[in-house]
Amino acid sequence: MKSHLALYMFVSVLFLIGVVFGAVMVNALSLDQKQELARHLNYFFQNVDDGTMLGEPQADSFRQTLGLHVKWMALIWLLGLSVVGLPLVFVLDFLKGVLVGFTVGYLTGQFAWKGMLFALVSVAPQNLVIIPVILIASVAATGFSLHLIKSRFQHRRGALAQSFWQYTGTSVFLTIVLSAAALYEGFLSPYVMKWVAPMLLV
């Protein structure tokens, strides 16, 4: 943490900028776009309230969610293996912030405190795990890319191999941690959302 403190601060600020940008995007939506989103959300809330989501195989939902997390982590890992791909890691951090900011901003703007409550139970819990994991993975990818640059000048293949396995091990461990978020999204989130969804039905 100490050796990469500046990187942690950088990716955290980048993520927060994405959150703010996503929230601002809500105000840029046209009336037709807001109405279309409202219709889709109302249909979603209706399915949650009817218990349709609970009728779906939760194991399938868990596998799909975990698969998405694994792909996201694999992409960050791959981008960290080359200096050229490093800027795309920062783009992913920014986009993650935009997604979170837009989701929470729209729910809050459209449904006031009820939307905030829904965001707290449907968005916040898993993201308390997902966001730190993605930021840590991004710092690890950045650190390894910088190590690649140094190794080209210092010609230390042994140190590079050790760093590669440390980087890969960190990525695998973080992916395992993401399974906790996938478990919540797959098995617990539908029940929590069912409790809140009736408040948001129009």
Side-chain angles (χ1 to χ4, degrees):
M1 288 289 291
K2 290 182 179 179
S3 60
H4 294 98
L5 184 59
L7 287 176
Y8 278 107
M9 292 180 63
F10 176 74
V11 296
S12 298
V13 169
L14 193 61
F15 171 79
L16 290 175
I17 292 174
V19 171
V20 174
F21 185 80
V24 171
M25 282 179 61
V26 176
N27 297 324
L29 293 174
S30 66
L31 180 60
D32 290 340
Q33 290 172 325
K34 289 182 179 180
Q35 290 176 342
E36 184 67 20
L37 276 174
R39 282 194 292 270
H40 284 294
L41 275 177
N42 193 58
Y43 177 74
F44 172 76
F45 295 144
Q46 187 66 54
N47 285 337
V48 173
D49 185 48
D50 293 342
T52 304
M53 291 185 63
L54 296 179
E56 298 177 356
Q58 293 173 316
D60 291 344
S61 177
F62 165 72
R63 283 192 292 268
Q64 291 174 2
T65 304
L66 182 59
L68 180 62
H69 294 327
V70 170
K71 291 176 183 176
W72 193 282
M73 288 295 298
L75 181 57
I76 293 177
W77 179 79
L78 285 172
L79 293 174
L81 295 179
S82 65
V83 179
V84 177
L86 184 57
L88 295 178
V89 174
F90 301 141
V91 171
L92 289 177
D93 294 335
F94 177 78
L95 289 177
K96 183 62 178 177
V98 171
L99 289 173
V100 173
F102 183 85
T103 302
V104 176
Y106 180 79
L107 287 172
T108 304
Q110 188 74 18
F111 302 100
W113 68 268
K114 296 178 181 179
M116 177 61 71
L117 177 61
F118 188 81
L120 286 175
V121 301
S122 64
V123 178
Q126 62 267 32
N127 276 293
L128 290 176
V129 176
I130 296 171
I131 292 171
V133 165
I134 289 177
L135 296 183
I136 293 172
S138 299
V139 171
T142 305
F144 183 75
S145 292
L146 294 177
H147 191 77
L148 280 175
I149 299 175
K150 293 179 181 178
S151 65
R152 290 180 181 178
F153 292 99
Q154 298 174 353
H155 303 289
R156 299 172 61 185
R157 293 182 179 274
L160 179 60
Q162 182 181 3
S163 296
F164 169 78
W165 289 115
Q166 288 177 346
Y167 170 51
T168 301
T170 300
S171 298
V172 171
F173 173 75
L174 292 174
T175 303
I176 294 173
V177 173
L178 283 179
S179 63
L183 283 170
Y184 176 84
E185 291 180 81
F187 292 96
L188 296 179
S189 183
Y191 291 97
V192 180
M193 287 191 293
K194 181 173 173 57
W195 171 62
V196 181
M199 303 180 188
L200 285 83
L201 286 173
V202 179

